[in-house]
């Protein structure tokens, strides 16, 4: 079998799908994208296609290493996201060729289900109570929300109180009938993170995500020593070598690589195994589409230390399409009590509605994250 063609489709709300065709008619799908930089990743995918056309798609490891090491400059958000989508599609082809789900090729199941969580509240959290109640009605009991709006480098007591009041209102309303993580989203610098984490401890959030930016990872151990709240990070780390340094330094309790950013299934299986060796949990980042979610699930189901799976149903970014709109076999991704079951079909287990993908790709949305500024005009972290 040989790879014959790569086709990309940018579709609403902010996703990029990749179709890899072979001379035997077996097709694989992947989701290579950086939110807000879809066209850049798309260009990278096609640039890398010179290493794919005419190659045997079964040689996933060799192709992955060639894509990664074949250029003198390597790594980073764009290249690793391009590799990630290609890798997903190759595993899809291999599973379909052999007639089994990808997790069977990775050693088989270590669990029968994985708990999912859902976003509430948007970029600037509002209406969180009603949002949680709506999601409870369809079976969710675990949530994540942004922990604050833009946070000043020297934030006022009023700003700190506003962030804490939101969390206090959730515990007051729901007690411990739900669990929720708080995403600082890299909006908080190290000095303010110390203050905010201390104030939030009494409300016992499930975790605090990106307490500081990945570029400031040297603060993770220091912040971890001052709190009992588990710290999570990883959505803006792109290969096992970045994760290696974080694991060696300590401080992070939950690793959150993104299967569409961090080299795909091949790389993230290794990252999960590295995390297990440090007694660190694994919870893939996934505010994206159905192919990315399917890839995450296959890694979750072979990784003993996987604890939670993010999914994008109803997320505030989903303007123009929802999580399962582009797939035919929606029933395979139904949740049961807020949990996903293993995909049953060969490959990634996603049957793409290609006609709809083509139709929607004719008018894609050029999504960009907002630019936030402080009152003095200086740019703030979104």
């Amino acid at each position: 079998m040989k790879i014959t063609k790569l086709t990309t489709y940018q579709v609403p709300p902010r996703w990029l799908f990749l179709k890899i065709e072979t001379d035997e008619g077996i097709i694989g799908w992947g989701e290579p994208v950086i939110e807000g930089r879809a066209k850049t990743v798309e260009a990278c995918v096609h640039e890398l296609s010179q290493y794919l056309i005419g190659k045997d798609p079964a040689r996933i490891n060799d192709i992955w290493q060639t894509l990664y090491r074949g250029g003198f400059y390597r790594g980073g958000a764009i290249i690793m996201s391009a590799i990630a989508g290609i890798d997903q599609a190759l595993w899809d082809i291999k599973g379909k060729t052999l007639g089994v789900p990808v997790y069977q090729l990775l050693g088989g199941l270590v669990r029968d289900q994985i708990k999912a969580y859902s976003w509430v509240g948007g970029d600037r959290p509002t209406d969180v109570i009603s949002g949680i109640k709506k999601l409870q009605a369809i079976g969710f009991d675990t949530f994540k929300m942004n922990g604050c709006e833009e946070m000043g480098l020297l934030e006022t007591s009023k700003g700190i109180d506003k962030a804490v009041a939101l969390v206090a209102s959730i515990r007051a309303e729901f007690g411990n009938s739900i669990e929720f993580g708080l995403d600082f989203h890299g909006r908080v610098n190290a000095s303010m993170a110390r203050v905010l984490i201390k104030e939030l401890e009494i409300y016992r959030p499930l975790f605090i995500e990106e307490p500081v930016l990945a570029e400031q990872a040297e603060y993770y151990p220091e912040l971890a020593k001052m709190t009992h709240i588990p710290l999570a990070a990883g959505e803006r780390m792109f290969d096992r070598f970045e994760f290696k340094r974080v694991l060696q330094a300590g401080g992070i309790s939950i690793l959150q690589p993104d299967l569409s950013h961090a080299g795909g299934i091949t790389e993230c299986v290794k990252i999960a195994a590295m995390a297990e060796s440090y007694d660190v949990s694994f919870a893939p980042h996934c505010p994206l589409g159905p192919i990315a979610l399917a890839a995450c699930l296959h890694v979750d189901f072979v990784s003993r230390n996987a604890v939670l799976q993010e999914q994008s149903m109803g997320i505030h970014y989903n303007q123009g399409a929802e999580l399962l709109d582009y797939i035919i076999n929606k029933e395979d991704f139904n949740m049961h009590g807020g949990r996903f079951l293993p995909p049953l079909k060969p490959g990634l287990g996603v049957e793409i509605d290609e006609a709809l993908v083509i139709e929607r790709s004719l008018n894609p949305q050029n999504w960009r994250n907002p630019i936030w500024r402080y009152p003095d005009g200086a740019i703030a972290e979104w």
Side-chain angles (χ1 to χ4, degrees):
M1 186 186 298
K2 303 295 181 187
I3 296 170
T4 57
K5 187 178 180 181
L6 283 75
T7 309
T8 49
Y9 303 96
Q10 190 178 344
V11 296
R14 53 178 192 163
W15 304 335
L16 181 69
F17 293 169
L18 166 66
K19 174 185 174 184
I20 296 183
E21 299 177 57
T22 67
D23 60 358
E24 295 187 15
I26 296 177
I27 291 169
W29 289 90
E31 195 169 332
V33 71
I34 281 286
E35 301 92 300
R37 296 290 182 266
K39 291 181 179 179
T40 311
V41 177
E42 184 174 34
C44 188
V45 168
H46 290 291
E47 189 168 38
L48 292 173
S49 67
Q50 64 178 300
Y51 301 108
L52 294 161
I53 300 299
K55 302 299 182 182
D56 180 357
R59 297 190 61 172
I60 298 174
N61 286 328
D62 181 61
I63 291 173
W64 196 99
Q65 294 289 349
T66 301
L67 296 177
Y68 181 78
R69 300 182 188 278
F72 182 77
Y73 298 100
R74 61 190 65 170
I78 301 304
I79 294 174
M80 295 306 293
S81 296
I83 292 174
I86 293 168
D87 182 79
Q88 293 167 8
L90 295 178
W91 279 106
D92 195 26
I93 290 170
K94 183 181 280 283
K96 290 172 178 174
T97 301
L98 299 175
V100 294
V102 166
Y103 58 75
Q104 296 289 20
L105 304 175
L106 298 173
L109 299 174
V110 298
R111 61 175 44 80
D112 300 318
Q113 55 187 8
I114 184 79
K115 179 178 278 291
Y117 66 82
S118 187
W119 262 93
V120 290
D123 285 346
R124 288 190 167 95
T126 58
D127 245 1
V128 170
I129 302 298
S130 63
I132 289 173
K133 288 180 177 178
K134 288 177 184 176
L135 290 163
Q136 276 185 306
I138 58 175
F140 283 104
D141 63 6
T142 307
F143 307 91
K144 184 171 79 173
M145 67 205 72
N146 279 307
C148 60
E149 299 181 8
E150 55 266 72
M151 183 68 60
L153 302 181
L154 188 62
E155 186 55 72
T156 63
S157 58
K158 182 179 180 180
I160 295 291
D161 287 347
K162 182 179 180 181
V164 173
L166 175 72
V167 179
S169 70
I170 296 169
R171 277 290 180 233
E173 179 71 26
F174 298 101
N176 62 359
S177 66
I178 67 166
E179 298 295 342
F180 57 89
L182 297 173
D183 189 355
F184 283 12
H185 218 247
R187 297 171 179 174
V188 187
N189 72 353
S191 60
M192 289 296 100
R194 295 185 189 97
V195 175
L196 193 53
I197 290 170
K198 183 178 180 180
E199 295 284 342
L200 290 169
E201 244 191 339
I202 190 174
Y203 303 107
R204 298 169 66 189
L206 194 60
F207 58 85
I208 289 177
E209 181 175 330
E210 280 201 322
V212 295
L213 288 164
E215 300 97 292
Q216 310 296 340
E218 64 269 19
Y219 289 104
Y220 292 155
E222 180 183 328
L223 293 172
K225 287 177 183 177
M226 59 159 284
T227 183
H228 299 296
I229 303 172
L231 302 183
E235 70 184 70
R236 287 189 272 192
M237 301 176 195
F238 304 109
D239 58 46
R240 78 195 91 133
F241 308 108
E242 289 187 77
F243 284 98
K244 175 182 72 171
R245 288 185 279 273
V246 169
L247 289 168
Q248 287 174 337
I252 292 299
S253 297
I254 306 169
L255 282 194
Q256 300 171 306
D258 191 303
L259 271 284
S260 281
H261 301 337
I265 292 169
T266 297
E267 186 76 341
C268 287
V269 165
K270 296 172 183 176
I271 291 168
M274 288 169 58
E276 184 182 3
S277 72
Y278 282 87
D279 199 24
V280 169
S281 298
F282 180 76
H285 178 254
C286 190
L288 293 169
I291 305 169
L293 174 61
C296 290
L297 292 175
H298 287 279
V299 179
D300 290 332
F301 281 111
V302 300
S303 302
R304 181 188 173 274
N305 54 332
V307 290
L308 290 168
Q309 182 54 61
E310 182 175 13
Q311 56 80 49
S312 72
M313 182 178 65
I315 197 170
H316 50 293
Y317 304 123
N318 287 359
Q319 304 297 316
E322 258 301 339
L323 175 62
L324 302 181
D325 284 359
Y326 296 105
I327 66 172
I328 297 168
N329 57 321
K330 294 176 175 58
E331 67 282 356
D332 289 342
F333 292 88
N334 287 340
M335 280 175 283
H336 302 264
R339 297 170 184 267
F340 287 109
L341 303 181
L344 298 176
K345 291 182 170 56
L348 293 178
V350 177
E351 296 181 351
I352 296 294
D353 185 343
E354 190 170 352
L356 182 60
V357 168
I358 292 170
E359 176 189 331
R360 295 283 183 87
S361 70
L362 299 176
N363 188 31
Q365 297 174 356
N366 192 25
W367 186 86
R368 292 286 186 271
N369 63 251
I371 299 297
W372 286 3
R373 293 189 180 274
Y374 295 122
D376 66 1
I379 194 164
E381 292 287 346
W382 166 73

